[in-house]
Amino acid sequence: ESLVHPLIKFLKAKIKDDVPNVEVISLEVLDKCMVEIGYICQHKAKRKILPRVLKMANPKKQYPSVVQDTAKKLIWRWADLYGADDPQLLGYMTAYQELRAWGLFEEEEQHSVVSSGILDDDDFYQI
């Protein structure tokens, strides 16, 4: 637990990087850490990094498409994995709902993504 705070701080800095590949790799590392470390990492990432990831997925912002796509897929994945399990992690579902409001998902995706777990580790890491 004592190393999670510096980890989140480091990843947040890398996610803000100006180089798109660094941003994407940092997002992928964050996702893996959330899976491997668990709740404490998920909770801290929700508070410290999720707003930035949501901003990156916003189609009105000028992020490269690879960064926007990765951010969108991660929010989608996190809503599926963490959004309904714990009231402390509802921010993931809220972020997913914002993406839906922006029209970033097709109608059939809106109904199947979160309930079916459409993204698994194999699908995600083939970006």
Side-chain angles (χ1 to χ4, degrees), residues 3 13 15 25 43 48 54 63 75 88 94 100 102 113:
L3 296 177
I15 288 168
I25 291 169
H43 182 69
K48 301 288 185 181
L54 185 59
Y63 285 95
I75 290 172
Q88 295 293 319
T94 303
R100 282 181 48 188
W102 295 338
V113 171

Side-chain angles (χ1 to χ4, degrees), residues 8 30-31 33-35 38-51 53-54 71-72 74-100 105 114:
I8 293 296
L30 171 64
D31 181 57
C33 289
M34 289 170 64
V35 170
Y39 180 80
I40 189 73
C41 188
Q42 296 157 12
H43 182 69
K44 288 201 181 282
K46 180 200 67 134
R47 289 183 38 235
K48 301 288 185 181
I49 298 178
L50 182 60
V53 178
L54 185 59
K72 175 184 158 183
L74 280 175
I75 290 172
W76 187 5
R77 176 178 162 78
W78 295 338
D80 183 42
L81 292 175
Y82 317 122
D85 291 343
D86 186 319
Q88 295 293 319
L89 300 178
L90 285 177
Y92 293 113
M93 186 61 72
T94 303
Y96 170 75
Q97 290 168 344
E98 280 194 53
L99 293 181
R100 282 181 48 188
F105 295 114
V114 176

